[in-house]
Amino acid sequence: MSKQEEDGDAAFDRIMEMVGDAGPFQWRYNLIFNVVAVTFFAMNVVNILLILTVPEHHCAVPGMELYNVSDQELWNNLTLPRAPTSRGDLGYSSCTMYNVSLYPPGTDPAQLVFGENDTIPCQYGYWYDRQYYDKIPATQQNWVCEKELYATNVFAVIRMAEVLGSFALGQLGDRIGRLPVFLVSIVMILVGRSFAVMTDEIYWLFALLAFIGSFGTNTSFQSPLIVVMEISRDEDRAALSLWQLVGWTLGVSLPPLAFWWLRDWVWFMLLTSIPCALFILIPGYTIESPRWLATQGLYKKCLTELKKIAKVNARQFLLTEDELRERVPVKEVEKTYGIASLFSGWHMTKLSGLLLFSWICNTIPTYTLLLFSMQMGGNPFLNVFWQGAIELPAYFCGQMLCNSIGRRITNCIAFMGIALACIPIILIIQNSETEIYVTTLAVIVKFFVCLSYFALYLQSYEVYPITLRQTGTSFGLIISNIFGTLGPYIVYLGTNNDVRLPFAAMGLIGLVGCFASSCLPETLYQKLPETMQEGRLFGKGQKFWSLPQKPRAEQPQQPATNRDYSKLSQHESVPESQSDSEIAA
């Protein structure tokens, strides 16, 4: 980092102290946009997943009265073939029926005998288990049998939308500002989710609106968090991030309960999406980041936003545009080449590859668990509720472990926990009497997934040098979300073939993630890389299973070697005489 960049950041921190960096404005903004708004934004991540559930079903065969049958269960046994279920037992075939027309009306039910060649596809519609799900697209539009991949494909479309949205809108956030991207994200959520209720009869249009509604979900979280961090004190930023996790946990926990109560997907979608419009209509608080405006040389607009903050914080702010320009000059940053810089030199390529593997191993179980929790037995709404409610305790536990035993060991423990918790689920999930135990163990798996996410996010942020931290973290999330599109198809295999398959896949993925994360360097108590040169050598020389050691203030600074830049002091830098080619080697 150049001296000019350090001075510019420090100067803007002083300016924020003048207008108030821990006053009513910050806490109101955080409450409105980082907790309440995020709660509704998270609801729109979950609501589309809940309505795409496909309940148990089989052919609806009319004509009981024509054959003098009064018992529905007897009629089903006579007219529906048996087929293995995903749990390994026998149940009614989901998509075939016996050709009852082979026997004339009035035939004695005891004579209704059919062979394997007497089966035909469902002719008269479908019967659905409506214990939990009543009005949803699958039951209203019969997204089953020949259309059984409709819901699964929409899941994949949603995931791809999140990937492309993170990439496109994330880039725009640094180019045109946080506020425009935030507002565009809200509009896309509103259009995509609320208009979807009128389009389930037109599948391609429904899928398109699902794509639009999911395109801006990630940036709807990121933008307000970035703004509030950029106008707050350094010591408050960790707490602000945790507050957003409170909003996220509420947002993923409340929708299943609301849907359980409403039982109508149209009203459910409107209830969870339309309130997002409220967060466009708060002009006193929907501000652009003044720090971003200053870095772009937009000093006049920066002053306008600073005065808004000062007014709410009851501070007198008299700085002029020329004074602001002088105090906070436009920064000159180290030149990088975007994603290509993540793979400059063997060591940085290895670190980037390990981080990508770790992100993929975290994201696939995240999405698979959420989708499969609605299909694995028991009350699906309570399954999803507990999957969401466990997230906040997991993040708090992650913070505690990462700050005590380190990021690497915490991540290894989390991935190993995923693998070990999947083993008993695989052994007992086929038994319908063990639903409560399966649900509990699945929640434990989700706990470890969230624990891994917390540690992995810290590792991604701290392993890369300053000029690549945003790029590296975003790239990891994008690539992992692309692989996350496998989640719906893993769930499809579990619900249509063998219910054990999703947990077997997650267990193997957990083992791969444990290996990948164990090879990453520990970042706790380490001097983090600032330049590309330091990034190419960060972590070299660390012992494989070394525990992080808190530095002692009284110890003299040890001379840094060319092989271990993690032990450089805060004021040292890589020797300028060493060339990039020597470092890469």
Side-chain angles (χ1 to χ4, degrees):
M1 182 186 292
S2 66
K3 186 176 187 300
Q4 180 188 12
E5 194 174 3
E6 291 179 336
D7 292 344
D9 281 338
F12 202 89
D13 288 340
R14 303 292 81 75
I15 292 171
M16 285 307 306
E17 290 176 3
M18 294 169 60
V19 300
D21 56 3
F25 186 95
Q26 280 78 9
W27 295 110
R28 291 176 194 173
Y29 184 97
N30 187 50
L31 179 63
I32 295 170
F33 295 105
N34 215 27
V35 180
V36 180
V38 164
T39 298
F40 282 98
F41 298 152
M43 287 183 180
N44 285 275
V45 173
V46 177
N47 60 8
I48 189 72
L49 306 180
L50 289 172
I51 67 168
L52 290 174
T53 301
V54 179
E56 291 186 13
H57 57 278
H58 58 69
C59 297
V61 185
M64 290 173 51
E65 67 282 354
L66 299 178
Y67 296 89
N68 299 317
V69 177
S70 58
D71 182 71
Q72 183 65 56
E73 187 66 23
L74 174 62
W75 181 248
N76 288 342
N77 287 329
L78 291 172
T79 58
L80 297 175
R82 293 281 183 168
T85 68
S86 61
R87 293 182 178 273
D89 53 5
L90 282 178
Y92 295 129
S93 171
S94 299
C95 301
T96 59
M97 55 179 280
Y98 288 125
N99 188 1
V100 184
S101 63
L102 294 175
Y103 294 90
T107 301
D108 187 344
Q111 298 179 356
L112 296 178
V113 180
F114 300 96
E116 293 183 1
N117 296 327
D118 297 329
T119 59
I120 57 175
C122 298
Q123 303 292 307
Y124 308 102
Y126 302 89
W127 172 90
Y128 294 98
D129 182 356
R130 298 180 184 270
Q131 179 181 3
Y132 297 111
Y133 297 102
D134 190 4
K135 296 180 180 179
I136 53 176
T139 60
Q140 293 183 313
Q141 303 303 326
N142 292 326
W143 287 357
V144 294
C145 297
E146 69 273 7
K147 298 179 181 179
E148 62 184 357
L149 281 175
Y150 272 27
T152 301
N153 291 335
V154 174
F155 287 137
V157 166
I158 291 168
R159 205 61 179 168
M160 190 57 64
E162 293 174 354
V163 172
L164 297 176
S166 297
F167 182 77
L169 295 179
Q171 298 285 325
L172 280 177
D174 288 332
R175 291 180 177 271
I176 67 174
R178 289 77 163 98
L179 180 58
V181 168
F182 178 63
L183 298 178
V184 167
S185 300
I186 294 177
V187 171
M188 296 189 79
I189 290 173
L190 285 170
V191 172
R193 294 294 187 258
S194 57
F195 282 88
V197 302
M198 300 180 288
T199 62
D200 60 313
E201 295 181 359
I202 309 173
Y203 177 70
W204 68 267
L205 184 56
F206 181 90
L208 176 62
L209 287 169
F211 181 93
I212 293 172
S214 298
F215 194 82
T217 50
N218 285 340
T219 45
S220 67
F221 299 104
Q222 295 167 358
S223 297
L225 181 60
I226 291 172
V227 171
V228 75
M229 284 190 169
E230 291 179 340
I231 63 174
S232 301
R233 299 178 301 180
D234 287 347
E235 56 265 36
D236 292 333
R237 290 173 185 172
L240 294 171
S241 181
L242 286 174
W243 273 111
Q244 187 179 82
L245 294 176
V246 172
W248 167 264
T249 302
L250 289 173
V252 297
S253 301
L254 295 178
L257 302 181
F259 196 21
W260 190 12
W261 171 56
L262 290 170
R263 298 180 65 85
D264 187 322
W265 77 281
V266 172
W267 288 109
F268 170 66
M269 293 294 284
L270 295 176
L271 177 67
T272 52
S273 61
I274 290 179
C276 293
L278 296 174
F279 304 102
I280 302 177
L281 308 174
I282 311 176
Y285 288 91
T286 48
I287 66 165
E288 181 56 85
S289 167
R291 191 181 294 265
W292 178 85
L293 290 169
T295 64
Q296 303 300 306
L298 303 173
Y299 296 106
K300 186 174 182 179
K301 292 182 179 180
C302 178
L303 280 175
T304 300
E305 305 294 25
L306 288 172
K307 288 176 181 177
K308 285 183 182 179
I309 299 172
K311 182 179 179 180
V312 175
N313 287 341
R315 297 289 188 90
Q316 189 175 14
F317 183 65
L318 302 175
L319 205 65
T320 65
E321 184 177 342
D322 290 337
E323 290 172 331
L324 180 61
R325 188 189 309 273
E326 182 180 352
R327 291 191 183 200
V328 191
V330 177
K331 298 176 180 178
E332 294 180 7
V333 297
E334 182 181 21
K335 186 176 182 179
T336 59
Y337 298 94
I339 292 172
S341 296
L342 300 176
F343 303 94
S344 59
W346 161 245
H347 186 65
M348 187 172 286
T349 299
K350 182 185 74 172
L351 295 182
S352 298
L354 290 170
L355 284 168
L356 285 178
F357 265 106
S358 299
W359 273 119
I360 292 168
C361 293
N362 176 269
T363 302
I364 294 178
T366 299
Y367 208 50
T368 303
L369 267 176
L370 179 59
L371 298 179
F372 197 64
S373 61
M374 297 178 282
Q375 306 282 354
M376 64 186 182
N379 187 320
F381 301 110
L382 290 181
N383 291 346
V384 177
F385 170 79
W386 289 118
Q387 289 277 326
I390 197 62
E391 292 198 15
L392 192 60
Y395 294 136
F396 277 110
C397 183
Q399 183 187 38
M400 179 185 67
L401 290 176
C402 285
N403 290 336
S404 57
I405 64 175
R407 286 76 157 116
R408 179 171 60 180
I409 295 180
T410 299
N411 209 2
C412 291
I413 290 173
F415 276 122
M416 185 57 67
I418 294 172
L420 294 178
C422 285
I423 294 174
I425 298 179
I426 295 170
L427 296 176
I428 68 174
I429 193 171
Q430 288 187 307
N431 186 347
S432 60
E433 297 179 356
T434 62
E435 289 175 350
I436 183 65
Y437 304 109
V438 171
T439 300
T440 303
L441 288 167
V443 171
I444 293 174
V445 174
K446 182 61 178 292
F447 175 89
F448 285 118
V449 169
C450 294
L451 190 66
S452 168
Y453 177 87
F454 190 94
L456 186 55
Y457 199 90
L458 285 177
Q459 285 180 304
S460 296
Y461 185 80
E462 294 171 344
V463 162
Y464 291 119
I466 289 172
T467 51
L468 287 178
R469 281 177 189 164
Q470 186 68 40
T471 300
T473 304
S474 299
F475 183 63
L477 290 171
I478 289 169
I479 296 299
S480 65
N481 280 325
I482 291 175
F483 280 88
T485 57
L486 296 174
Y489 298 100
I490 294 174
V491 173
Y492 172 79
L493 291 174
T495 54
N496 290 273
N497 293 279
D498 192 324
V499 73
R500 297 171 295 181
L501 285 176
F503 291 98
M506 285 188 284
L508 292 174
I509 289 170
L511 292 176
V512 174
C514 181
F515 172 77
S517 60
S518 69
C519 296
L520 288 167
E522 179 56 66
T523 58
L524 181 62
Y525 303 137
Q526 301 296 312
K527 188 267 182 185
L528 302 184
E530 295 181 356
T531 66
M532 287 290 297
Q533 291 179 331
E534 293 178 8
R536 293 188 186 108
L537 289 175
F538 180 75
K540 282 192 173 183
Q542 277 193 13
K543 294 181 180 179
F544 184 73
W545 279 116
S546 58
L547 289 172
Q549 298 293 324
K550 190 171 184 178
R552 296 179 181 177
E554 68 275 13
Q555 287 183 338
Q557 179 64 39
Q558 298 296 325
T561 68
N562 290 339
R563 303 295 293 175
D564 186 5
Y565 282 90
S566 66
K567 293 182 171 60
L568 286 172
S569 71
Q570 188 67 31
H571 302 290
E572 291 179 317
S573 60
V574 180
E576 296 180 359
S577 60
Q578 191 173 12
S579 66
D580 289 354
S581 60
E582 290 174 328
I583 293 172

